[in-house]
Amino acid sequence: MKFGCHLPVYGAAATRDVLLGFARRMEALGYDSLWASDHVVIPYTIASRYPYNPTGDFPLAPGTSFLEPLVALGLVAGVTERVRLGTTVLVLPHRHPVLAAKMLATLDHLAPGRVILGAGVGWMKEEVELFGVPYARRGAWSDEAIRVMKACWRDERVSHRGEFVRFEALGVAPKPAHGTIPVWIGGHTARALRRVAELGDGWHAAFPSAAKMKAGLADLAAACRHVGRDMASLTISARVGLPARQDADALVSEIRDLAALGVSHMILESRVRDLDDMTAIYEKFARDVRPRV
């Protein structure tokens, strides 16, 4: 099992000093990856239901500082050497796919082979449609975007004529250090899991229980059979909450349950945003939990 940390990219802790101090300390503690999530704006009125709490209310106020993830990861890349750099998740409709491909390839060129694209279609209609993507078609738009990005990373001469994006022959450089960037696709719907099977290098599940993970993996296996994909070729990852008050035995049990289902990379997220308290929480996990897994 590999373990990553969610970076302090939103709230009062989303500053240069906190971000750099946290990134350096997590790499020194032996964490395998560092991750940034993605919101370009926070509307003052949100009718969309937030899928990750019981009330459906988005927990951040419109005035909350929220760093652009690829810019933040670029800063982190400059003060780390080994740790992987990922998005959890980059909302594909927020950026033109050629621009996104360029930014990700640049990051991977400067931090060779360390980038993971966690990718999703987005849940907030108000934010998705701000960028001109019809909310009802965001899945199809994202499928096309993934194909465009992979072509930009792979081909010397790139052209595309699709439903949403069209352009004639272009050169897009630099290329990623190893010729491509792994794409771990988020989402739990049937369409999201088909997207994993058809276009992904992994599945990136958000806040799953073992029971939900088991059900999702069964659906993913069916999607893989439908397209002739070997499920063993996919990386299975999960983003989970890391409580401030940790019960080491409970965490070990939860991690072992997920590992038994095939999860090989876990991204831990603490809601605490004070640097000292955050660092202490992740240090405690590294000392008391990880060695027992």
Side-chain angles (χ1 to χ4, degrees):
M1 175 77 76
K2 295 184 182 297
F3 291 94
C5 302
H6 192 285
L7 290 162
V9 294
Y10 58 83
T15 67
R16 173 186 170 86
D17 289 345
V18 171
L19 190 63
L20 294 184
F22 182 80
R24 290 185 180 111
R25 183 60 182 148
M26 294 307 104
E27 184 170 62
L29 284 170
Y31 281 95
D32 301 289
S33 56
L34 296 171
W35 299 76
S37 48
D38 182 24
H39 281 286
V40 179
V41 297
I42 303 175
Y44 276 85
T45 301
I46 302 174
S48 304
R49 182 178 178 81
Y50 180 61
Y52 302 117
N53 67 30
T55 69
D57 297 324
F58 188 57
L60 301 180
T64 304
S65 178
F66 205 122
L67 305 182
E68 200 287 323
L70 299 180
V71 175
L73 289 172
L75 182 67
V76 168
V79 296
T80 57
E81 296 294 334
R82 172 192 57 80
V83 72
R84 302 291 299 271
L85 307 169
T87 53
T88 179
V89 292
L90 198 75
V91 181
L92 295 175
H94 289 177
R95 297 161 187 83
H96 190 285
V98 175
L99 177 60
K102 173 79 169 188
M103 296 174 72
L104 287 156
T106 298
L107 180 60
D108 196 75
H109 176 73
L110 298 175
R114 290 203 275 150
V115 176
I116 301 167
L117 170 59
V121 304
W123 61 269
M124 190 189 295
K125 180 179 180 180
E126 296 84 353
E127 192 176 18
V128 167
E129 293 195 339
L130 175 66
F131 300 104
V133 177
Y135 185 73
R137 296 286 290 153
R138 70 195 190 283
W141 193 100
S142 297
D143 290 350
E144 187 171 328
I146 293 170
R147 292 186 173 96
V148 169
M149 289 191 290
K150 288 187 172 187
C152 288
W153 299 331
R154 179 188 64 236
D155 299 338
E156 181 178 351
R157 185 183 179 94
V158 188
S159 61
H160 184 81
R161 295 187 66 81
E163 179 182 354
F164 304 101
V165 179
R166 296 186 177 195
F167 56 87
E168 300 305 325
L170 303 172
V172 187
K175 302 296 187 187
H178 301 313
T180 193
I181 291 170
V183 181
W184 296 0
I185 294 171
H188 297 79
T189 66
R191 186 65 194 91
L193 296 174
R194 289 200 302 272
R195 185 173 298 112
V196 176
E198 293 168 359
L199 297 170
D201 301 293
W203 180 34
H204 186 54
F207 308 110
S209 65
K212 288 183 178 179
M213 196 78 196
K214 185 176 182 179
L217 287 168
D219 292 340
L220 178 58
C224 286
R225 288 193 297 271
H226 182 73
V227 299
R229 177 76 180 269
D230 180 2
M231 189 166 162
S233 67
L234 295 170
T235 299
I236 308 300
S237 64
R239 175 176 165 184
V240 301
L242 182 62
R245 296 183 179 179
Q246 298 174 24
D247 180 332
D249 291 339
L251 283 171
V252 168
S253 178
E254 179 183 3
I255 292 165
R256 287 178 176 171
D257 286 346
L258 291 173
L261 293 171
V263 175
S264 62
H265 204 126
M266 183 173 290
I267 292 83
L268 305 167
E269 180 178 7
S270 169
R271 296 294 182 180
V272 175
R273 285 294 173 265
D274 174 86
L275 177 59
D276 292 338
D277 289 342
M278 246 192 320
T279 301
I281 289 167
Y282 286 105
E283 285 180 341
K284 181 178 170 78
F285 181 91
R287 181 185 67 244
D288 297 340
V289 178
R290 184 169 187 171
R292 296 173 54 191
V293 175

